[in-house]
mmCIF file of all heavy atoms in Angstrom:
data_model
loop_
_atom_site.group_PDB
_atom_site.id
_atom_site.type_symbol
_atom_site.label_atom_id
_atom_site.label_comp_id
_atom_site.label_asym_id
_atom_site.label_seq_id
_atom_site.Cartn_x
_atom_site.Cartn_y
_atom_site.Cartn_z
ATOM 1 N N ASN A 277 -89.705 -82.097 120.140
ATOM 2 C CA ASN A 277 -89.037 -83.278 119.601
ATOM 3 C C ASN A 277 -89.928 -84.516 119.657
ATOM 4 O O ASN A 277 -89.838 -85.386 118.792
ATOM 5 C CB ASN A 277 -87.728 -83.537 120.348
ATOM 6 C CG ASN A 277 -86.675 -82.492 120.028
ATOM 7 O OD1 ASN A 277 -86.845 -81.690 119.112
ATOM 8 N ND2 ASN A 277 -85.587 -82.487 120.785
ATOM 9 N N THR A 278 -90.796 -84.603 120.669
ATOM 10 C CA THR A 278 -91.759 -85.711 120.715
ATOM 11 C C THR A 278 -92.686 -85.639 119.513
ATOM 12 O O THR A 278 -92.978 -86.651 118.871
ATOM 13 C CB THR A 278 -92.576 -85.661 122.016
ATOM 14 O OG1 THR A 278 -91.698 -85.693 123.138
ATOM 15 C CG2 THR A 278 -93.537 -86.836 122.103
ATOM 16 N N GLY A 279 -93.140 -84.422 119.202
ATOM 17 C CA GLY A 279 -93.989 -84.244 118.029
ATOM 18 C C GLY A 279 -93.257 -84.537 116.742
ATOM 19 O O GLY A 279 -93.810 -85.172 115.831
ATOM 20 N N ASN A 280 -92.012 -84.084 116.623
ATOM 21 C CA ASN A 280 -91.245 -84.349 115.401
ATOM 22 C C ASN A 280 -91.099 -85.840 115.148
ATOM 23 O O ASN A 280 -91.205 -86.298 114.003
ATOM 24 C CB ASN A 280 -89.864 -83.695 115.503
ATOM 25 C CG ASN A 280 -89.915 -82.185 115.373
ATOM 26 O OD1 ASN A 280 -90.782 -81.644 114.685
ATOM 27 N ND2 ASN A 280 -89.004 -81.500 116.039
ATOM 28 N N ARG A 281 -90.850 -86.604 116.210
ATOM 29 C CA ARG A 281 -90.726 -88.053 116.044
ATOM 30 C C ARG A 281 -92.058 -88.663 115.612
ATOM 31 O O ARG A 281 -92.098 -89.563 114.756
ATOM 32 C CB ARG A 281 -90.231 -88.697 117.339
ATOM 33 C CG ARG A 281 -88.771 -88.403 117.651
ATOM 34 C CD ARG A 281 -88.259 -89.280 118.778
ATOM 35 N NE ARG A 281 -88.904 -88.974 120.046
ATOM 36 C CZ ARG A 281 -88.473 -88.073 120.920
ATOM 37 N NH1 ARG A 281 -87.377 -87.359 120.654
ATOM 38 N NH2 ARG A 281 -89.108 -87.867 122.065
ATOM 39 N N ALA A 282 -93.142 -88.171 116.208
ATOM 40 C CA ALA A 282 -94.471 -88.671 115.822
ATOM 41 C C ALA A 282 -94.780 -88.318 114.373
ATOM 42 O O ALA A 282 -95.321 -89.146 113.621
ATOM 43 C CB ALA A 282 -95.533 -88.100 116.756
ATOM 44 N N PHE A 283 -94.430 -87.100 113.949
ATOM 45 C CA PHE A 283 -94.686 -86.684 112.575
ATOM 46 C C PHE A 283 -93.872 -87.524 111.599
ATOM 47 O O PHE A 283 -94.370 -87.924 110.543
ATOM 48 C CB PHE A 283 -94.347 -85.208 112.396
ATOM 49 C CG PHE A 283 -95.182 -84.272 113.219
ATOM 50 C CD1 PHE A 283 -94.785 -82.958 113.418
ATOM 51 C CD2 PHE A 283 -96.361 -84.694 113.810
ATOM 52 C CE1 PHE A 283 -95.550 -82.088 114.175
ATOM 53 C CE2 PHE A 283 -97.133 -83.835 114.568
ATOM 54 C CZ PHE A 283 -96.722 -82.521 114.757
ATOM 55 N N ALA A 284 -92.615 -87.777 111.931
ATOM 56 C CA ALA A 284 -91.781 -88.603 111.055
ATOM 57 C C ALA A 284 -92.407 -89.974 110.867
ATOM 58 O O ALA A 284 -92.442 -90.505 109.747
ATOM 59 C CB ALA A 284 -90.377 -88.735 111.638
ATOM 60 N N LYS A 285 -92.928 -90.542 111.952
ATOM 61 C CA LYS A 285 -93.566 -91.870 111.852
ATOM 62 C C LYS A 285 -94.807 -91.815 110.973
ATOM 63 O O LYS A 285 -95.052 -92.727 110.161
ATOM 64 C CB LYS A 285 -93.937 -92.359 113.251
ATOM 65 C CG LYS A 285 -94.589 -93.730 113.288
ATOM 66 C CD LYS A 285 -93.661 -94.817 112.767
ATOM 67 C CE LYS A 285 -94.166 -96.209 113.095
ATOM 68 N NZ LYS A 285 -95.515 -96.489 112.564
ATOM 69 N N LEU A 286 -95.601 -90.747 111.081
ATOM 70 C CA LEU A 286 -96.790 -90.612 110.240
ATOM 71 C C LEU A 286 -96.407 -90.502 108.768
ATOM 72 O O LEU A 286 -97.040 -91.119 107.896
ATOM 73 C CB LEU A 286 -97.598 -89.387 110.674
ATOM 74 C CG LEU A 286 -98.287 -89.497 112.038
ATOM 75 C CD1 LEU A 286 -98.767 -88.130 112.510
ATOM 76 C CD2 LEU A 286 -99.454 -90.479 111.978
ATOM 77 N N PHE A 287 -95.382 -89.714 108.465
ATOM 78 C CA PHE A 287 -94.892 -89.627 107.090
ATOM 79 C C PHE A 287 -94.386 -90.985 106.614
ATOM 80 O O PHE A 287 -94.672 -91.414 105.489
ATOM 81 C CB PHE A 287 -93.762 -88.596 106.991
ATOM 82 C CG PHE A 287 -94.209 -87.199 106.708
ATOM 83 C CD1 PHE A 287 -94.331 -86.274 107.733
ATOM 84 C CD2 PHE A 287 -94.506 -86.788 105.416
ATOM 85 C CE1 PHE A 287 -94.740 -84.974 107.483
ATOM 86 C CE2 PHE A 287 -94.915 -85.498 105.141
ATOM 87 C CZ PHE A 287 -95.027 -84.574 106.187
ATOM 88 N N GLU A 288 -93.620 -91.662 107.451
ATOM 89 C CA GLU A 288 -93.054 -92.960 107.052
ATOM 90 C C GLU A 288 -94.154 -93.960 106.732
ATOM 91 O O GLU A 288 -94.048 -94.730 105.766
ATOM 92 C CB GLU A 288 -92.147 -93.484 108.165
ATOM 93 C CG GLU A 288 -90.849 -92.696 108.303
ATOM 94 C CD GLU A 288 -90.127 -92.963 109.617
ATOM 95 O OE1 GLU A 288 -90.507 -93.933 110.316
ATOM 96 O OE2 GLU A 288 -89.191 -92.199 109.952
ATOM 97 N N ASP A 289 -95.219 -93.967 107.519
ATOM 98 C CA ASP A 289 -96.331 -94.881 107.250
ATOM 99 C C ASP A 289 -96.956 -94.595 105.889
ATOM 100 O O ASP A 289 -97.293 -95.524 105.134
ATOM 101 C CB ASP A 289 -97.393 -94.765 108.347
ATOM 102 C CG ASP A 289 -96.934 -95.358 109.677
ATOM 103 O OD1 ASP A 289 -95.933 -96.117 109.675
ATOM 104 O OD2 ASP A 289 -97.566 -95.058 110.711
ATOM 105 N N GLU A 290 -97.136 -93.305 105.574
ATOM 106 C CA GLU A 290 -97.705 -92.953 104.275
ATOM 107 C C GLU A 290 -96.746 -93.297 103.130
ATOM 108 O O GLU A 290 -97.174 -93.764 102.067
ATOM 109 C CB GLU A 290 -98.048 -91.460 104.240
ATOM 110 C CG GLU A 290 -99.168 -91.046 105.178
ATOM 111 C CD GLU A 290 -100.514 -91.639 104.787
ATOM 112 O OE1 GLU A 290 -100.655 -92.134 103.651
ATOM 113 O OE2 GLU A 290 -101.431 -91.601 105.624
ATOM 114 N N ILE A 291 -95.463 -93.082 103.343
ATOM 115 C CA ILE A 291 -94.471 -93.411 102.319
ATOM 116 C C ILE A 291 -94.464 -94.911 102.062
ATOM 117 O O ILE A 291 -94.407 -95.357 100.901
ATOM 118 C CB ILE A 291 -93.077 -92.905 102.742
ATOM 119 C CG1 ILE A 291 -93.044 -91.372 102.721
ATOM 120 C CG2 ILE A 291 -91.996 -93.466 101.817
ATOM 121 C CD1 ILE A 291 -91.818 -90.769 103.382
#
Side-chain angles (χ1 to χ4, degrees):
N277 290 349
T278 303
N280 287 329
R281 289 191 293 271
F283 297 164
K285 181 63 167 58
L286 291 166
F287 271 99
E288 289 165 13
D289 289 344
E290 293 294 345
I291 291 168

